């Protein structure tokens, strides 16, 4: 799959998050937490990312696709679809969280493990479906961009907005191990994209990611029940 150079932002996100949440380790604070300032920092970074993307689009003339292929809707229909879509997301998110807690309590599994595996996988299914369809239709930039963009939005916008509205959010240092895994994964992506077949992720590299994910899940359930 081809990938654009604009995806460099993905590589340093876990490092930024690590610095923001490890207040005790790095700044001698009494507790680790996402503060209001941390949330604002993430939101400012997100806005800066959007500005960069739109400026890059204007400079290169890349509109991201053929306008003629896009089905256009009227203003009323578009507005209603957005409203019902947001309402559905909110309702679905509440149902997922409530039932994830029930599953964790029933099987006596920590909520942390449920969040890192089942809940994370469930919320990632739309990205999986979209990326698979895009790859099948040879839309490699769309496939890779969907995954990279989703990660950027989740960390900078979702976590930033959540911390801004609900600060402080306590951080368990046990999650540092998972941040290290994320750092390793992004570093692997950097290696794959900028060595050998440049800007391409081949089948063997994708298989390596799958093996790593399975090994990570096994490790979680064996060591964090």
């Amino acid at each position: 799959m081809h990938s654009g150079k604009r995806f460099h932002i993905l590589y340093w996100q876990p490092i930024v998050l690590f610095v923001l949440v490890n207040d005790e380790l790095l700044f001698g604070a009494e507790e680790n937490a996402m503060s209001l300032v941390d949330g604002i920092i993430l939101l400012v970074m997100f806005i800066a990312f959007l500005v960069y993307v739109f400026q890059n689009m204007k400079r290169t003339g890349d509109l991201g696709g053929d306008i003629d292929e896009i089905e256009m809707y009227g203003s009323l229909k578009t507005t209603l679809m957005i409203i019902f879509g947001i309402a559905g997301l909110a309702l679905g998110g509440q149902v997922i969280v409530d039932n994830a807690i029930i599953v964790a309590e029933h099987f006596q599994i920590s909520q942390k493990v449920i969040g890192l595996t089942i809940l994370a996988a469930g919320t990632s299914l739309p990205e999986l479906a979209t990326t698979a369809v895009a790859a099948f239709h040879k839309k490699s930039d769309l496939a890779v961009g969907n995954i990279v963009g989703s990660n950027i939005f989740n960390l900078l916008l979702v976590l930033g907005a959540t911390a801004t509205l609900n600060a402080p959010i306590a951080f368990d240092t046990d999650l540092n191990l998972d941040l290290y895994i994320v750092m390793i994964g992004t570093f692997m992506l950097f290696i794959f994209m900028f060595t050998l077949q440049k800007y391409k992720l081949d089948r063997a590299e994708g298989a390596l990611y799958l093996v790593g994910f399975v090994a990570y899940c096994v490790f979680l359930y064996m060591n964090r029940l």
Side-chain angles (χ1 to χ4, degrees):
M1 296 180 184
H2 296 282
S3 175
K5 294 182 179 180
R6 68 185 62 175
F7 299 145
H8 284 76
I9 187 175
L10 180 67
Y11 306 134
W12 48 260
Q13 278 189 119
I15 299 176
V16 172
L17 180 60
F18 181 88
V19 172
L20 292 179
V21 297
N22 281 279
D23 302 309
E24 293 182 19
L25 176 65
L26 300 177
F27 306 110
E30 296 182 355
E31 62 179 1
N32 295 311
M34 284 286 296
S35 67
L36 174 62
V37 174
D38 295 334
I40 293 175
I41 290 175
L42 293 179
L43 289 178
V44 169
M45 291 171 60
F46 176 74
I47 294 173
F49 166 71
L50 290 183
V51 171
Y52 164 75
V53 169
F54 284 112
Q55 286 182 341
N56 188 67
M57 289 173 60
K58 290 181 179 179
R59 183 172 62 252
T60 62
D62 180 11
L63 299 178
D66 298 325
I67 300 299
D68 294 338
E69 297 180 359
I70 301 176
E71 183 179 359
M72 304 299 291
Y73 298 104
S75 299
L76 178 59
K77 185 174 181 179
T78 300
T79 302
L80 291 176
M81 291 175 68
I82 292 175
I83 293 175
F84 284 111
I86 293 175
L89 284 173
L91 178 61
Q94 186 64 50
V95 171
I96 289 176
V97 171
D98 291 343
N99 284 277
I101 295 174
I102 294 174
V103 170
E105 293 176 346
H106 179 75
F107 291 100
Q108 297 184 335
I109 300 174
S110 70
Q111 294 183 18
K112 186 187 304 181
V113 172
I114 292 294
L116 288 169
T117 54
I118 297 175
L119 191 58
T123 55
S124 297
L125 288 178
E127 284 83 6
L128 175 60
T130 303
T131 302
V133 171
F136 179 78
H137 289 285
K138 307 300 182 182
K139 303 290 186 180
S140 57
D141 284 343
L142 179 61
V144 178
N146 174 58
I147 295 300
V148 174
S150 176
N151 280 274
I152 293 173
F153 270 68
N154 283 337
L155 195 151
L156 298 183
L157 176 61
V158 175
L159 189 56
T162 302
T164 301
L165 297 174
N166 299 281
I169 301 176
F171 177 77
D172 188 342
T173 53
D174 286 345
L175 289 173
N176 276 335
L177 176 61
D178 305 287
L179 283 179
Y180 297 147
I181 298 296
V182 175
M183 293 179 192
I184 292 173
T186 53
F187 180 73
M188 287 172 57
L189 182 60
F190 180 85
I191 297 297
F192 292 158
M193 287 297 182
F194 297 99
T195 59
L196 300 177
Q197 299 186 58
K198 198 170 185 180
Y199 301 134
K200 289 186 178 180
L201 187 67
D202 61 32
R203 192 165 298 182
E205 292 164 344
L208 183 59
Y209 265 116
L210 285 177
V211 171
F213 175 73
V214 172
Y216 171 67
C217 290
V218 171
F219 170 79
L220 281 179
Y221 280 99
M222 290 181 63
N223 295 275
R224 295 188 176 180
L225 295 179

